[in-house]
Amino acid sequence: MVSFYPGPSAVYPEIAAYTQEAIQSGIISSNHRSGPFVDLCQKVISELQRVLEVPKDYTVFFTSSATECWEILAQSLIENQSLHVYNGAFGRRWKEVTEKIGCSTQALVFDKETLPSLPFEKSIDTSWIALTHTETSNGTALPVEWMRTCRKTYPEAIIAVDATSSLNGVYLPIDQADIWYASVQKCFGLPSGLGVMICSPKVREVAYRLGENKHYNSLINAYEMMDKFQTTHTPNILGIYLLYRTLQQSLPVREREKNLLQRAEDWYRFFETQKGDFQLLVTNETVRAATVIAIQGPEDRVADIKKRAFDAGFVLGNGYKEYAKTTFRIANFPAIEPKDILHLKDFLSPILSK
Ligand SMILES: *Cc1c(COP(=O)(O)O)cnc(C)c1O
């Protein structure tokens, strides 16, 4: 089976060997306060700095998932209210989780074919801005230029970015926002159960000023431990080891992304040139995501294509929430192999054109 699901998705083929290494070397049985773990933690952070261009004064945290990052931020970092700028289900979910934790939130919902126009309306509180870089549910993304304009427009704001299905897949301007986070089962090509959260020096200041300390994963506890390259709780050491080993073999994302962007371009052309009932969900090229492609079609045909693909050994991504029945999704994550993409295209062509 080859998975094109946008998370969990295909993992790098080397994961099997790295897992064995983690067991044989004893790292997964090391105490998380011990030298070997601290050393691993230090090394994986320098690999993240190299590969993702994380500025040296940003702090990296390990969490269990992107969902946990939503909670940590709501617990420890939102002072007055957060503004959630989104066009789909993951952005909406972040807002809902934040509200449940007890924060007041505001929504700025935009159409999936457009970009939110900057500056936002004057009446909106822009002290804390939550953005979803790639909206995995509909296959849209915020261009790097838009991120830069947002930073320039709101230099004082805390800008937090859910980059779960793009971090480590495409280049992201880490210095243009205060918080970036992702789970590793998307563009890192790793098994699920680990999240990475990257925070600017401003985040440390705000976290300590607020001093929220009620949860095992409260941000000031995490800072206190990470200053010693440790975590508040026993982390996913295997996941951290696999992250380290895959990053160690990786070129900087800025060099790697050309290949991924070309693959995305090829996928989009592939679907654009099909004559049948299926179309790309997103028509505006400038907002199309490079890492997740959503294809729209009649319900019966969407169900049929997913089933036939499964029988042929391909897992296509289901549609998500409002698009559950009328779309399917294809992950364009780095760990997916070119030969599998060719096979899937060969399989899809005759079905799509009917
Ligand atoms: C997958 C995804 C999440 C949720 O990730 P978990 O690992 O399940 O917490 C959140 N946001 C976006 C944009 C995603 O694609």
Side-chain angles (χ1 to χ4, degrees), residues 185-301:
Q185 73 273 21
K186 312 258 168 111
C187 286
F188 286 89
L190 294 171
S192 59
L194 180 68
V196 173
M197 183 164 73
I198 302 166
C199 297
S200 75
K202 196 196 292 175
V203 174
R204 183 190 287 263
E205 269 173 49
V206 176
Y208 274 90
R209 181 162 54 73
L210 299 181
E212 187 280 313
N213 187 25
K214 287 195 291 237
H215 306 272
Y216 85 96
N217 56 6
S218 293
L219 207 46
I220 56 173
N221 299 341
Y223 271 111
E224 207 163 295
M225 298 316 294
M226 197 39 83
D227 286 344
K228 302 183 280 191
F229 297 101
Q230 293 180 28
T231 50
T232 55
H233 56 291
T234 314
N236 180 347
I237 300 178
L238 175 60
I240 294 172
Y241 183 79
L242 299 176
L243 177 64
Y244 167 60
R245 289 294 276 123
T246 47
L247 289 175
Q248 208 186 16
Q249 307 302 318
S250 161
L251 288 170
V253 69
R254 211 198 271 265
E255 288 169 42
R256 264 197 287 120
E257 82 161 354
K258 289 185 198 81
N259 182 33
L260 195 103
L261 295 176
Q262 184 59 54
R263 266 165 46 168
E265 184 71 16
D266 294 347
W267 266 125
Y268 281 115
R269 291 295 88 79
F270 174 80
F271 286 109
E272 267 171 354
T273 52
Q274 303 296 330
K275 293 245 154 37
D277 297 336
F278 289 94
Q279 299 116 35
L280 289 162
L281 177 63
V282 181
T283 51
N284 178 357
E285 291 188 31
T286 58
V287 302
R288 281 178 184 163
T291 50
V292 186
I293 295 139
I295 301 98
Q296 196 171 32
E299 281 190 24
D300 55 334
R301 298 224 46 210

Side-chain angles (χ1 to χ4, degrees), residues 66-85:
T67 303
E68 189 190 9
C69 297
W70 290 338
E71 293 218 359
I72 293 173
L73 296 173
Q75 286 163 188
S76 299
L77 208 68
I78 297 172
E79 191 169 9
N80 300 314
Q81 97 168 356
S82 50
L83 170 67
H84 295 258
V85 182

Side-chain angles (χ1 to χ4, degrees), residues 31-32 55 62 96 201 205 254 316:
N31 183 275
H32 60 296
F62 297 109
E96 287 164 3
E205 269 173 49
R254 211 198 271 265
L316 302 180

Side-chain angles (χ1 to χ4, degrees), residues 65-68 70 90 132 134 136 162 164-165 183 185-186:
S65 62
T67 303
E68 189 190 9
W70 290 338
F90 282 99
T132 301
T134 293
T136 321
D162 180 346
T164 300
S165 56
S183 307
Q185 73 273 21
K186 312 258 168 111

